[in-house]
Amino acid sequence: MSTRTLPLLFINLGGEMLYILDQRLRAQNIPADKAKKVMNDIITTMFNKKFLEELFKPQELYSKKALRTVFDRLAHASIMRLNQASMDKLYDLMTMAFKYQVLLCPRPKDILLVSFNHMDAIKDFVKDTPSILSQVDETYQQLIEMYTPLSNGEFQLIRQTLLIFFQDMHIRVSIFLKDKVQNSNGRFVLPTNGPVPRGTQIPGLIRIFSCSGEELTRLQFNNGGNYSSALREGSFEMFGNRITKLGTNMYSVSRPVETHMSGTSKSSAQHTKVNSAPNPLAKEELNLLARLMGGLEVQKPGSTDTGFRVNLFATDEEEEEALISRPNELSYGVISIQATKVINSSVHTNYFCREESVQYYILQHILWQPKNILSAIK
Amino acid sequence: MFHKEKSIQLKNSASALYNNLSVLRIAPRRLTYFTVVHANVVNMVSTSWDGLNYSHRQLQSKEPNVATSTSLIMQAAFCALPSRDLLVVSSQKGIQMYESDGSIMVYWHALDTPEAPTAHAVFARGISAVSDNYICVGVSSGAVLVFDIPSKGSNITLSEVLEEHKEAITDIASECSGSQECLANLVTADDGGNMCVWKSGEEFQLLNKIPGLDITCSSVKLWKGTVLAGYGTGQIRLYEAVTGILHAEVNAHARWIYSLDIAPFSGLLLSAAEDSFVRVWHLAITPETNSVEIAHLHNECVTDTQICGAKFCDGDGYAFAVTGYDLSEIIRYVQS
């Protein structure tokens, strides 16, 4: 649908990821200098110039698998390590948070304000590092340039595209359950009270006009909700009060990050079935990965001096248990790839799978061959 | 006034698209068909009137000859013409027309898609039967494609392209098929809220343009010469089609309206929005005296759901059905 959705998806998911990692780094008492290095490394990679260039090109949204692979790589852009279970949980939290924000946006263009909230927080994370700060500022400019001229109808198309991406995801998140913004069935609470969006009137008035334009009658009706007037307009510029709280950091050290795996429904299985249809963009997705990995020094996981592991769960046992008990329908099927050498633009020859030639064969086949192969990837 | 009836389960959930529910009543066979779009699939359910039999079918948006690409569907709608009923599916790649039970595809029209994606998305959206033998489908460029439909067979041809809109078409509506004679029988609406009023024929005639205020008109209906329009601001407006005179303005919803429907025999109007509400209104229009009355009758709140489709199941408005984003069921309401 909309060919301008990917940058917003990436930046907002990235922002959520940083909020969660920041919280975990504090909760696990990782030394401040290491924690800062992790945040700086990830943000530098996120805003890599070549990578963003690729991202901002008009294109269809990537598949869930491809996007998950991008974030997998991003999370490992530094000395921090995450086990499979923790990475799964991190991604669950990121996606459910942004789904919530997209759903709750009063107007479609408020998604841009949500994006600015994330950008503002990212800027704050790197405020002491001028080089990264300038990358972030440049990205603000790109966002403003690309999105502020769009009409409301075009923003709604972006929103509808995002909602298709998030369709059928109902993972329960502790912090949402506690705040009563999510029900126990995983669906978000959509309040029928509160301020109406800017540009909308509180429902309840019927006006009848004569042919010459004068008002003949006024009638009131009961709107069934409890609405109030719109709040003032948020800032769509580099600085300013965004007004909306959506997209701001909802985690603090004391609030744990938890998800509940139970309650997978038939619909999530069907959703993966729909998703396994052939993706003609697989080649472009791998191009993006190439750019991302191109801007990245692969950190060796072995070194115990600088490297450390972050756990998204309370204990190691919990993490292990989560990996074993994760329902099949919710596995992301990450493509495991390791870049060895970037030759030229023909992407498919550059990657040699860590796993054997079987996976490489499958990888090649994503690009050229029918749909059945994709579903073989787990 | 209305109470909830047993829901119809769907094979997958509804996507957040405008006017995402279409209903076709087949009286001779005592059946009703429903269609709901999920990403690149159309879910069809056929229900018997006694409520005992349900059958499901899924149509994929697949263009012939291009086996590897997928395409998201923007809308699926039944078009009831005097001689035949067709199911029209509009997507990013083109327009498919099926027999109304979804069994056979009778026509495929490919959109001009550029080789590399451009900043402006390409898709078809807005579907309506017009008069006795036309089906109109809107395009993201603002063009409206007019297809000439023979009374049977697959010899469907593109008869005209109407180029008045500059923004993506959102919805199309018509009235007066068969024996009725109307001055205007087609209205087309776009992303900027602009509407065009037409008279069908071998060459469609533009009768009037109603300018928008940069507020998307997401759903539109035509009844007794009056345009009923639902907007992104949650307002419903009633305009006299050929003159563009604003007869009524309703602050109807707290969020973007996704669907409007009219029950032509009773004048009941249905509106549904992202605010979780479906509202029923009564319209009284007397074209001779130019008087329009609209009264609010009923609210239904579908808790925690952004509604994307709402349609009456019959011409009197005795029952209506509703779909919502992420919901895998069609909720039904019947008059008490």
Side-chain angles (χ1 to χ4, degrees):
Chain A
M1 284 173 32
S2 175
T3 52
R4 290 185 266 228
T5 319
L6 192 57
L8 293 180
L9 182 60
F10 178 77
I11 287 170
N12 285 291
L13 286 181
E16 286 300 316
M17 182 172 89
L18 290 166
Y19 290 159
I20 298 163
L21 290 178
D22 176 60
Q23 194 272 343
R24 292 314 291 164
L25 290 168
R26 282 172 212 274
Q28 283 183 218
N29 293 309
I30 303 293
D33 62 324
K34 281 194 186 171
K36 198 160 183 75
K37 176 163 172 53
V38 171
M39 297 296 280
N40 282 355
D41 284 349
I42 293 178
I43 294 172
T44 307
T45 312
M46 243 180 98
F47 292 98
N48 171 276
K49 202 177 165 75
K50 275 219 151 15
F51 175 67
L52 286 181
E53 237 173 65
E54 188 68 38
L55 197 74
F56 273 80
K57 285 189 190 145
Q59 58 198 309
E60 296 286 334
L61 264 195
Y62 285 22
S63 66
K64 281 202 160 82
K65 283 190 174 89
L67 203 67
R68 165 61 199 266
T69 310
V70 170
F71 280 103
D72 229 42
R73 181 52 69 159
L74 195 60
H76 289 95
S78 185
I79 52 178
M80 177 190 73
R81 287 284 151 266
L82 290 169
N83 284 346
Q84 170 83 342
S86 277
M87 188 64 219
D88 284 345
K89 182 169 157 178
L90 173 64
Y91 197 70
D92 286 346
L93 289 170
M94 284 157 57
T95 41
M96 287 309 286
F98 189 41
K99 179 175 183 175
Y100 170 70
Q101 290 151 17
V102 171
L103 263 177
L104 271 283
C105 270
R107 302 170 303 182
K109 76 191 281 198
D110 292 337
I111 292 178
L112 194 52
L113 291 176
V114 172
S115 312
F116 285 138
N117 269 331
H118 282 116
M119 290 291 291
D120 293 343
I122 292 171
K123 194 161 167 174
D124 193 61
F125 282 131
V126 294
K127 61 180 186 278
D128 300 327
T129 323
S131 55
I132 317 175
L133 198 55
S134 65
Q135 278 179 274
V136 177
D137 280 347
E138 241 190 80
T139 311
Y140 266 107
Q141 288 303 336
Q142 280 184 289
L143 282 174
I144 291 172
E145 223 176 85
M146 180 179 237
Y147 292 102
T148 44
L150 293 188
S151 69
N152 293 308
E154 285 169 303
F155 265 111
Q156 181 64 281
L157 190 69
I158 289 175
R159 183 169 176 278
Q160 291 174 341
T161 311
L162 286 169
L163 288 178
I164 289 183
F165 184 83
F166 291 128
Q167 190 118 16
D168 301 322
M169 293 187 67
H170 301 297
I171 298 164
R172 289 145 56 205
V173 176
S174 260
I175 208 173
F176 287 140
L177 294 170
K178 279 202 189 80
D179 288 349
K180 303 238 188 304
V181 299
Q182 189 179 29
N183 295 318
S184 54
N185 62 6
R187 290 165 189 274
F188 291 115
V189 173
L190 300 181
T192 54
N193 52 38
V196 289
R198 280 214 78 76
T200 295
Q201 303 298 319
I202 298 175
L205 185 62
I206 300 172
R207 297 166 77 198
I208 312 278
F209 301 96
S210 73
C211 293
S212 54
E214 33 164 318
E215 191 183 287
L216 290 176
T217 335
R218 271 192 171 222
L219 298 164
Q220 288 281 352
F221 68 90
N222 178 11
N223 62 36
N226 188 11
Y227 301 103
S228 51
S229 305
L231 302 175
R232 54 182 227 271
E233 181 75 282
S235 162
F236 284 92
E237 295 168 22
M238 268 190 69
F239 303 98
N241 189 347
R242 314 296 179 189
I243 306 295
T244 179
K245 293 282 159 275
L246 296 170
T248 55
N249 195 344
M250 58 182 170
Y251 304 102
S252 60
V253 188
S254 54
R255 305 196 79 181
V257 283
E258 282 163 40
T259 52
H260 295 266
M261 277 299 107
S262 56
T264 60
S265 57
K266 208 164 76 173
S267 54
S268 43
Q270 275 139 19
H271 184 58
T272 27
K273 204 163 73 178
V274 172
N275 245 357
S276 68
N279 187 349
L281 302 175
K283 190 170 177 186
E284 277 68 35
E285 293 168 347
L286 289 167
N287 256 325
L288 189 78
L289 286 171
R291 299 234 180 271
L292 184 56
M293 287 179 227
L296 171 64
E297 274 171 39
V298 178
Q299 302 283 345
K300 292 208 183 69
S303 160
T304 47
D305 288 349
T306 47
F308 61 90
R309 195 170 63 83
V310 159
N311 189 345
L312 272 271
F313 297 85
T315 63
D316 287 349
E317 289 70 36
E318 249 190 69
E319 193 187 41
E320 231 178 87
E321 180 54 44
L323 180 66
I324 300 165
S325 62
R326 191 179 178 86
N328 271 338
E329 307 92 82
L330 294 180
S331 77
Y332 289 101
V334 172
I335 303 163
S336 176
I337 33 192
Q338 180 180 36
T340 54
K341 189 163 80 171
V342 176
I343 300 167
N344 52 33
S345 61
S346 70
V347 172
H348 61 286
T349 59
N350 301 342
Y351 294 93
F352 298 89
C353 289
R354 203 181 294 156
E355 262 76 341
E356 290 326 299
S357 49
V358 176
Q359 258 209 349
Y360 175 54
Y361 175 81
I362 293 173
L363 200 63
Q364 262 199 318
H365 276 74
I366 297 169
L367 305 176
W368 317 118
Q369 293 276 310
K371 42 191 149 172
N372 305 318
I373 307 294
L374 252 193
S375 55
I377 294 180
K378 256 310 177 171
Chain B
M1 191 190 167
F2 283 89
H3 65 268
K4 203 164 145 181
E5 263 220 329
K6 192 171 133 195
S7 294
I8 303 171
Q9 296 306 314
L10 290 168
K11 291 286 183 213
N12 33 38
S13 57
S15 289
L17 298 162
Y18 303 140
N19 307 301
N20 192 5
L21 174 64
S22 187
V23 182
L24 184 70
R25 204 158 176 267
I26 306 187
R29 294 170 59 199
R30 302 182 63 77
L31 287 178
T32 303
Y33 292 155
F34 296 88
T35 59
V36 181
V37 176
H38 170 101
N40 62 334
V41 167
V42 178
N43 288 298
M44 271 190 77
V45 186
S46 151
T47 63
S48 60
W49 288 3
D50 57 15
L52 295 176
N53 292 310
Y54 295 92
S55 80
H56 298 261
R57 176 175 245 145
Q58 287 187 310
L59 301 173
Q60 281 249 328
S61 98
K62 225 180 350 214
E63 326 71 82
N65 306 326
V66 192
T68 53
S69 55
T70 54
S71 156
L72 291 173
I73 299 173
M74 304 300 287
Q75 192 177 2
F78 289 108
C79 290
L81 293 164
S83 53
R84 69 199 292 193
D85 298 325
L86 290 176
L87 171 62
V88 180
V89 177
S90 66
S91 67
Q92 288 178 280
K93 290 280 175 1
I95 297 153
Q96 294 163 285
M97 297 193 192
Y98 292 84
E99 293 297 353
S100 61
D101 62 359
S103 55
I104 312 165
M105 186 167 83
V106 295
Y107 184 67
W108 156 250
H109 174 96
L111 289 178
D112 286 325
T113 34
E115 260 176 46
T118 55
H120 285 103
V122 174
F123 54 83
R125 179 176 62 188
I127 300 168
S128 182
V130 185
S131 180
D132 291 354
N133 57 325
Y134 298 109
I135 286 178
C136 289
V137 182
V139 184
S140 47
S141 58
V144 176
L145 307 177
V146 181
F147 295 96
D148 196 305
I149 315 287
S151 55
K152 55 175 183 273
S154 52
N155 189 19
I156 295 169
T157 53
L158 177 63
S159 119
E160 214 185 329
V161 179
L162 310 173
E163 278 166 333
E164 279 299 330
H165 291 273
K166 305 276 175 293
E167 297 179 67
I169 303 294
T170 45
D171 197 18
I172 297 180
S174 76
E175 69 167 341
C176 308
S177 73
S179 51
Q180 280 181 285
E181 256 306 302
C182 287
L183 194 52
N185 62 352
L186 176 69
V187 64
T188 54
D190 70 28
D191 249 356
N194 305 297
M195 293 187 285
C196 290
V197 179
W198 312 79
K199 181 169 171 59
S200 68
E202 255 185 56
E203 262 183 46
F204 275 52
Q205 219 190 323
L206 177 68
L207 298 180
N208 190 21
K209 278 173 103 142
I210 302 173
L213 304 162
D214 259 338
I215 300 166
T216 305
C217 169
S218 41
S219 195
V220 76
K221 284 284 167 298
L222 189 60
W223 188 59
K224 293 198 176 174
T226 307
V227 171
L228 319 169
Y231 294 88
T233 50
Q235 265 193 350
I236 296 174
R237 296 217 187 110
L238 274 53
Y239 289 95
E240 187 175 270
V242 286
T243 59
I245 293 174
L246 177 68
H247 279 308
E249 186 179 85
V250 185
N251 296 337
H253 289 275
R255 293 285 188 279
W256 205 282
I257 291 178
Y258 262 60
S259 193
L260 283 188
D261 196 25
I262 185 94
F265 305 142
S266 60
L268 287 183
L269 173 70
L270 196 62
S271 67
E274 284 177 356
D275 64 358
S276 306
F277 279 99
V278 185
R279 305 196 199 277
V280 186
W281 318 79
H282 184 254
L283 292 190
I285 296 177
T286 328
E288 294 79 30
T289 56
N290 257 330
S291 83
V292 168
E293 276 164 41
I294 175 167
H296 174 258
L297 294 183
H298 183 73
N299 292 326
E300 279 295 338
C301 180
V302 186
T303 317
D304 299 333
T305 303
Q306 297 201 339
I307 303 173
C308 50
K311 280 269 178 343
F312 283 114
C313 298
D314 56 273
D316 288 296
Y318 176 69
F320 65 88
V322 170
T323 56
Y325 169 66
D326 256 358
L327 224 52
S328 298
E329 60 185 316
I330 300 173
I331 307 176
R332 285 189 297 181
Y333 299 88
V334 168
Q335 271 191 41
S336 306

